[in-house]
Each structure stands twice: as C-alpha cells, then as structure tokens.
Amino acid sequence: MSDVTANASPASSNSSGIAPTASSGPSSPSSSPLVGVIATPSQPTPAGPRPAGDLPWSTLIPVATLVLGFLLKWLQDWSMERRKERGQERLRRELRADALLERRIEIERSNLLALQPVLSSLAIVVAEFHHARQIRFGNTGTWSTGGLPQGLYDNRREAYERLLPIRARLHTIDIMFRLDELTDLGQACNDATSPQDAIVALADHAECVKLLHGVVGTKIRELEFQLLDMVRRGQSA
C-alpha cells in the first residue's frame, strides 16, 4: 500500500505542472557559493588616487630645498643691496658735508682777503685824521675833532662802512673780537681830549691793525691748507 502511494506521488506532482526538485544527495563542491568564496584567492585592491597635498617625502624634500635656497638667495641679495644703499647714502652725506665745508672755507677765505685792504685803509684814515688834528692844534692851540677837511670825515666813514659787513660775515671768533677791539681803539683816537692821549690811542690802534694782519694772514693759510687737503682726499677716494 505504501509503495503504491510513493509511486503515485510523483505522477500527481507532475500532473500539477510543478517541476520536480533536485535530489537530496551529496552536492558537488562547485555548486556551493561559500566554497567558491573560500577557494578563490583574493586579488590586491588597486590603489586609488592620492589625496591632494599628500606628497611623498622623496618629492617634498627637493621642493623644500629649492624653496629654502631661493629664500636664502633672496635674503642675501636683499642684505647686500641694503648695505650697498647704506654705503651710497653715507657717501652722499659725506660728499654733501664736504661740499658745504668747502663752500664755507672759500667764503671765509674770500672775506678775510677782502678784510686785509680794509684794515690798511682804516689805519691810513685814522693816521691822516690824527695828523690833521695835530696841524690844527699847532695853528690854533686847540685840540678838537671839528674844523677838519670834509674829505677826512668821508674817508673814515667809508672805511668803517666797508669793515662792518665783512665783520658780520666772518666765522672766526678770534678775528671778530679783534675787529671789535680795533673799532673801540679808533673811537678812542677820535675821543682823545689831548695830543698825548691821541698819540697813545693812535699807537694802540696801529698795533692792533698790525696784529690783525698777522692773524688774518695765518687764518688764510690754514684755510688754503684745508682746501688742498680736501682736494687730495677727493682724488684718493
């Protein structure tokens, strides 16, 4: 009875249009998907693109060395150019200072050269003025500053007018003080109330003029030596 049922069941299933299932016997190794995964060796995963900025050291070191060398070269050039500019600026300042000093020396020398004939003229004028007063004193017996020829007064005024501008332009303090002393002595000659006082004042005036000529001549030579030294330094530079 059981055999009949077993034989009839396949027929009934086939008659219903359902495909028969595979046998439940042992399956082949290739038919199992798990076995295929275990048996197949894994392939290496290809490396993807490297992220931006992620460079290897073999590339970074040469680039860094190049950049560092460029910066060092730029700093060296900048430092050299800076020192060169400072040297040129210092040279320009020295040249300007030398030019100003040379100009001042030349002006002082010119003033002193112009002062020499003025001193001689002033000494002559004071002496002539004193001589005219002596003549008048011998004729009248009166010692005074009036009654002299008008030309003497004009000559004395012109001599002092020539002296004052030169004195104002001078830079040599010693000569300036001596010129002030000379002016005071000339005024003393004019203010003398007796022939004896006038003679003493005239002698002091003449001695002051003589000393001034010596001081002025010495100063002129010093200035000329300074100019010559500046020319020699300029040629050696």
Side-chain angles (χ1 to χ4, degrees):
M1 185 66 181
S2 60
D3 295 337
V4 175
T5 306
N7 294 331
S9 56
S12 60
S13 62
N14 291 335
S15 62
S16 61
I18 299 174
T21 60
S23 172
S24 61
S27 60
S28 62
S30 60
S31 62
S32 175
L34 182 61
V35 173
V37 171
I38 297 175
T40 305
S42 59
Q43 299 296 329
T45 303
R50 190 177 299 274
D54 187 11
L55 298 177
W57 285 105
S58 59
T59 304
L60 289 176
I61 292 177
V63 173
T65 303
L66 179 63
V67 172
L68 182 60
F70 174 78
L71 291 177
L72 292 176
K73 183 66 169 60
W74 179 82
L75 288 174
Q76 183 181 7
D77 294 342
W78 177 83
S79 178
M80 293 178 62
E81 187 67 22
R82 186 63 176 171
R83 288 196 297 268
K84 183 179 179 181
E85 291 178 356
R86 290 176 179 174
Q88 292 177 351
E89 180 65 24
R90 183 171 60 253
L91 179 60
R92 285 193 293 269
R93 288 197 300 268
E94 292 176 355
L95 291 177
R96 285 196 298 267
D98 290 343
L100 291 175
L101 180 59
E102 182 178 358
R103 179 61 178 165
R104 179 176 176 178
I105 292 174
E106 290 178 351
I107 293 175
E108 187 76 359
R109 178 177 174 272
S110 300
N111 289 328
L112 293 176
L113 289 173
L115 178 61
Q116 288 180 315
V118 174
L119 293 175
S120 299
S121 299
L122 189 60
I124 293 173
V125 167
V126 172
E128 289 178 347
F129 198 85
H130 176 77
H131 181 66
R133 291 177 71 182
Q134 281 184 326
I135 294 175
R136 186 176 184 277
F137 176 73
N139 294 332
T140 63
T142 303
W143 184 266
S144 65
T145 59
L148 300 178
Q150 184 61 35
L152 293 176
Y153 297 101
D154 295 339
N155 292 337
R156 186 178 63 175
R157 186 187 68 255
E158 291 175 359
Y160 280 105
E161 288 177 353
R162 293 170 58 193
L163 175 65
L164 293 179
I166 297 176
R167 192 266 180 210
R169 295 193 302 264
L170 290 177
H171 294 88
T172 308
I173 303 299
D174 182 32
I175 297 178
M176 294 169 60
F177 286 158
R178 291 179 182 272
L179 288 176
D180 293 339
E181 181 183 358
L182 181 65
T183 303
D184 295 338
L185 291 174
Q187 187 63 35
C189 292
N190 185 65
D191 296 339
T193 58
S194 66
Q196 294 77 15
D197 294 341
I199 292 175
V200 172
L202 180 63
D204 293 340
H205 186 273
E207 183 66 20
C208 185
V209 171
K210 180 180 178 181
L211 292 175
L212 262 171
H213 272 296
V215 173
V216 170
T218 301
K219 186 62 179 180
I220 290 175
R221 287 191 296 271
E222 291 179 359
L223 296 177
E224 290 174 347
F225 285 138
Q226 290 183 17
L227 289 174
L228 182 60
D229 184 62
M230 292 178 65
V231 171
R232 290 174 177 172
R233 283 188 298 163
Q235 293 177 350
S236 62

